[in-house]
Amino acid sequence: MNITQDNISRLLEINKSLTQSLDLQHILKKLVEAAFDLIENADTTILYTLNEDGLLHFSHGVGVDASFMRQVKFEPGESLTGLVFLTKKGVIASGHEFREHMTRMSETNYVHFFNGVFRREIKSGIVVPLVYKEECIGVLVVDNFDKDVQFTESDFHILEVVADQAAIAIMNSKLYEEVNRKNEELSHSLDIHRRFTKILLEGRGVSYILETISNIMGTSVIYSETADEESHAFPIISSNELFGYFLLKVPVESLTNIQKAALEHAATALSLDFVKQNTLFEKEMHLREEAFHDLTNGARLNARILENFNLNEKSRISCMIIDCKSGFLWDTRSILQKEKLIKSLEKEIMKYCETSIVFTKSDQIIALLANERKKYDLQLANDIQRVMNINKQAVIGLGREVALTEIADSYQEATEAVSYCKNHKYKNFVTYSELGAERLWLNTDRSLLNKFVSDKIGSLLQMEPEYLQTMQTFLANNKSHKKTAEEMHIHPNTLTYRIKKIENQLDMDFNKKDDWIAMVLAFQIFDYLTP
């Protein structure tokens, strides 16, 4: 490599100049100017750098019209510049070689480039890559528009040295910018963290958190439990539980790192506020259950209990119990699901009953409905089923309306009504007042009930299936032969034959009052035991 002592000194000065500054634009400008000064026959010097879009963009140049050159964007492999970028191997090229490679330029790039070099034709040039740790980050080009001038190997090596120095300086500048950016993001993040910590300590609540994050983002941020457009929704997650979403006017992907960090801090603050509110909710549930326990255990109706329940000594109460066919009404692993469920139920019940108290007891929900309740039972039960939203597996039992001092009776009745529901596949709502003889065996030992069924209709259950079906239909139609025959699509004589055979098998006469009552009770208990 034949480089003069003067050029070596100038290269050292250039290296010193490049390493003294960490300002990227200053480095790029110095780089192009240095290359132009060092290469004696250079008419233009152009630097292209790789951008985030994967294209080579014009960065700086000497001897060109920058307004046109800024519009040049080479694909890797496009023109001689793009080829050197891909191969990472510099070249000294003639004008013919340049023109041959320019045929692979896009029409737009060709027009802007040709105007950028003042519509001159390249006669010769040098193209070298800027390589850092085996990765090409740009291309440096020197052009000559005089046909009598050719570049030398010495020129090529000088430009290579400049390019190597420049690559290091550029990467150092980018690393410095990245460190500054991260420090700035950290500073912003700490400031945002302090702001939301202060909000929590002052107990400002959800509305102030939303107002603060909206100010930080510079646009309205809304809280929602659901998200219709997921691309504009930032999830609020804590301990693997989804608390809802921040709804934004712009896609989440378009946010800066600082904006995303701000949303993370806001989400943490909001979830902690929800947890705090949930703690207060659980405390309120405990107080309500404690007061209810006092009432059901005959405690004196003191002012505290009446105040807690918003009641007076003349109030009349009915107790409603909500349970589940199987499993639990809410996910016990969730922090907020139980609270949301209770509040939704309270809102629904208030439509029907102005004075109501809802709380939990073990894994059941208790609702106390006060003072001259309207006849809305079934409609209310349907609305509660809708709120529960668990595939209609919720069961509801309702006790009678009683004096406040007799609330324990209504609670016991609601308990028995729920028990009856849970034992019947197609029963989701039962009021105690609608239960007839079923009340007699709700708390009876099942083994005694099974023995009664076996004694009364055990032999019938051993007969062919059509006899059991016939007897059930006969009972449902209150011994009407005509209706039973029509419903079963059989001849009346066939029905008479079957009924007679059943009577003989059971040693009963259905015309006798005692035998018929025994049959009705046996089937009612049978239905209860085998829902």
Side-chain angles (χ1 to χ4, degrees):
M1 176 169 54
N2 185 20
I3 301 177
T4 66
Q5 186 63 40
D6 180 56
N7 281 340
I8 291 174
S9 298
R10 291 170 68 185
L11 285 170
L12 290 173
E13 285 298 318
I14 291 167
N15 181 60
K16 183 179 179 181
S17 173
L18 291 175
T19 55
Q20 279 180 339
S21 174
L22 290 171
D23 182 288
L24 182 59
Q25 294 306 313
H26 174 77
I27 290 173
L28 297 179
K29 182 174 181 295
K30 286 291 185 181
L31 164 66
V32 174
E33 290 173 352
F36 186 80
D37 291 340
L38 281 168
I39 307 302
E40 184 177 350
N41 295 309
D43 290 326
T44 63
T45 305
I46 305 171
L47 174 65
Y48 300 94
T49 55
L50 183 66
N51 276 27
E52 292 180 357
D53 60 5
L55 302 178
L56 291 166
H57 289 242
F58 170 80
S59 290
H60 281 278
V62 176
V64 297
D65 187 335
S67 64
F68 284 107
M69 294 302 296
R70 288 192 188 95
Q71 300 179 67
V72 175
K73 299 171 186 177
F74 288 132
E75 294 270 1
E78 182 182 353
S79 79
L80 189 57
T81 300
L83 182 63
V84 167
F85 174 81
L86 282 181
T87 61
K88 304 175 191 174
K89 294 180 180 179
V91 295
I92 301 174
S94 64
H96 173 73
E97 291 174 293
F98 268 99
R99 287 190 294 275
E100 182 180 347
H101 285 288
M102 286 173 69
T103 60
R104 293 186 287 105
M105 274 191 195
S106 70
E107 184 178 348
T108 300
N109 281 338
Y110 179 83
V111 171
H112 292 314
F113 176 83
F114 194 50
N115 287 324
V117 296
F118 304 104
R119 308 184 70 80
R120 296 176 292 175
E121 286 192 4
I122 300 173
K123 303 301 182 180
S124 60
I126 305 174
V127 186
V128 294
L130 275 65
V131 179
Y132 182 82
K133 292 184 178 179
E134 300 185 358
E135 180 182 354
C136 191
I137 61 173
V139 177
L140 183 60
V141 182
V142 170
D143 293 323
N144 175 270
F145 300 95
D146 187 341
K147 63 182 179 181
D148 297 327
V149 175
Q150 293 294 326
F151 291 107
T152 65
E153 286 290 328
S154 178
D155 294 330
F156 179 80
H157 291 310
I158 288 173
L159 204 62
E160 278 190 320
V161 173
V162 172
D164 289 342
Q165 291 176 334
I168 295 171
I170 288 172
M171 291 308 299
N172 284 341
S173 174
K174 287 186 174 181
L175 288 172
Y176 175 73
E177 287 184 353
E178 179 66 15
V179 169
N180 279 344
R181 183 184 66 79
K182 288 188 177 296
N183 285 337
E184 183 181 359
E185 287 180 0
L186 179 60
S187 177
H188 278 289
S189 182
L190 290 172
D191 178 61
I192 292 167
H193 174 70
R194 283 191 290 268
R195 290 177 68 177
F196 283 112
T197 300
K198 184 179 178 183
I199 290 172
L200 287 173
L201 292 175
E202 293 175 352
R204 294 291 192 96
V206 175
S207 60
Y208 196 76
I209 291 173
L210 291 173
E211 180 182 338
T212 302
I213 188 60
S214 295
N215 289 335
I216 292 172
M217 299 293 291
T219 183
S220 175
V221 178
I222 300 170
Y223 168 76
S224 174
E225 290 186 4
T226 58
D228 294 330
E229 194 171 356
E230 290 188 4
S231 61
H232 287 63
F234 188 91
I236 303 168
I237 300 173
S238 178
S239 301
N240 297 320
E241 181 171 357
L242 179 64
F243 285 74
Y245 299 87
F246 287 131
L247 302 185
L248 312 172
K249 291 185 177 180
V250 297
V252 174
E253 289 186 357
S254 68
L255 301 177
T256 65
N257 288 337
I258 291 177
Q259 288 175 317
K260 290 178 180 177
L263 286 170
E264 289 284 0
H265 286 303
T268 299
L270 197 62
S271 60
L272 287 174
D273 188 76
F274 284 152
V275 171
K276 183 183 75 173
Q277 295 302 322
N278 181 255
T279 301
L280 296 175
F281 162 81
E282 290 291 352
K283 183 177 180 180
E284 174 64 20
M285 289 295 101
H286 176 72
L287 290 174
R288 292 183 187 183
E289 183 183 354
E290 191 178 67
F292 176 71
H293 178 269
D294 289 344
L295 278 176
T296 54
N297 284 276
R300 187 180 172 200
L301 298 179
N302 60 49
R304 181 182 67 82
I305 292 178
L306 294 175
E307 183 180 352
N308 283 343
F309 280 72
N310 192 27
L311 301 172
N312 58 65
E313 293 184 2
K314 296 181 180 180
S315 297
R316 293 186 63 79
I317 301 288
S318 58
C319 183
M320 174 182 284
I321 297 179
I322 305 169
D323 204 337
C324 197
K325 287 280 190 185
S326 61
F328 296 91
L329 292 172
W330 58 83
D331 185 351
T332 55
R333 297 168 298 179
S334 170
I335 296 174
L336 298 184
Q337 191 182 103
K338 174 182 171 182
E339 179 183 354
K340 289 179 181 178
L341 181 59
I342 296 300
K343 289 182 176 179
S344 296
L345 284 172
E346 286 180 322
K347 184 177 179 181
E348 202 63 42
I349 292 172
M350 283 294 290
K351 296 177 183 178
Y352 298 89
C353 186
E354 292 184 3
T355 304
S356 61
I357 304 98
V358 181
F359 57 97
T360 59
K361 182 176 172 63
S362 298
D363 55 355
Q364 293 180 326
I365 297 173
I366 311 294
L368 302 182
L369 313 175
N371 295 329
E372 298 182 3
R373 196 180 75 253
K374 299 175 183 177
K375 297 299 181 183
Y376 52 68
D377 299 342
L378 183 57
Q379 186 177 351
L380 172 58
N382 289 335
D383 285 344
I384 289 175
Q385 290 283 1
R386 176 177 50 79
V387 170
M388 303 307 291
N389 193 25
I390 51 174
N391 300 321
K392 294 187 177 179
Q393 288 301 302
V395 291
I396 304 167
L398 182 63
R400 294 176 300 111
E401 189 173 84
V402 297
L404 188 57
T405 54
E406 299 172 355
I407 186 64
D409 293 339
S410 187
Y411 173 63
Q412 181 60 35
E413 291 166 0
T415 301
E416 293 179 5
V418 161
S419 177
Y420 186 80
C421 269
K422 293 179 77 170
N423 277 284
H424 282 74
K425 183 177 181 180
Y426 300 106
K427 285 284 188 180
N428 294 317
F429 172 59
V430 168
T431 64
Y432 186 78
S433 58
E434 76 182 61
L435 293 176
E438 295 91 346
R439 301 182 192 183
L440 302 177
W441 53 73
L442 282 173
N443 295 309
T444 303
D445 185 88
R446 293 180 73 90
S447 63
L448 294 177
L449 297 177
N450 278 310
K451 186 175 181 181
F452 180 82
V453 170
S454 178
D455 289 345
K456 298 301 179 183
I457 60 171
S459 57
L460 170 60
L461 299 177
Q462 302 300 317
M463 297 174 70
E464 289 81 358
E466 62 262 26
Y467 288 96
L468 176 60
Q469 183 186 4
T470 299
M471 193 63 222
Q472 288 172 325
T473 308
F474 192 53
L475 281 163
N477 288 299
N478 196 24
K479 294 198 294 184
S480 172
H481 282 69
K482 181 179 180 182
K483 290 181 179 179
T484 303
E486 288 176 352
E487 188 174 324
M488 297 192 69
H489 306 292
I490 60 176
H491 194 277
N493 291 339
T494 303
L495 175 61
T496 300
Y497 169 77
R498 289 184 183 178
I499 295 298
K500 193 63 178 176
K501 187 172 181 179
I502 293 171
E503 287 179 322
N504 291 335
Q505 183 72 24
L506 299 179
D507 191 21
M508 286 185 177
D509 182 352
F510 296 153
N511 291 318
K512 290 182 179 180
K513 181 180 178 181
D514 289 345
D515 285 353
W516 181 248
I517 291 175
M519 179 60 61
V520 171
L521 288 175
F523 266 93
Q524 286 182 338
I525 296 172
F526 175 72
D527 290 340
Y528 173 73
L529 295 173
T530 56

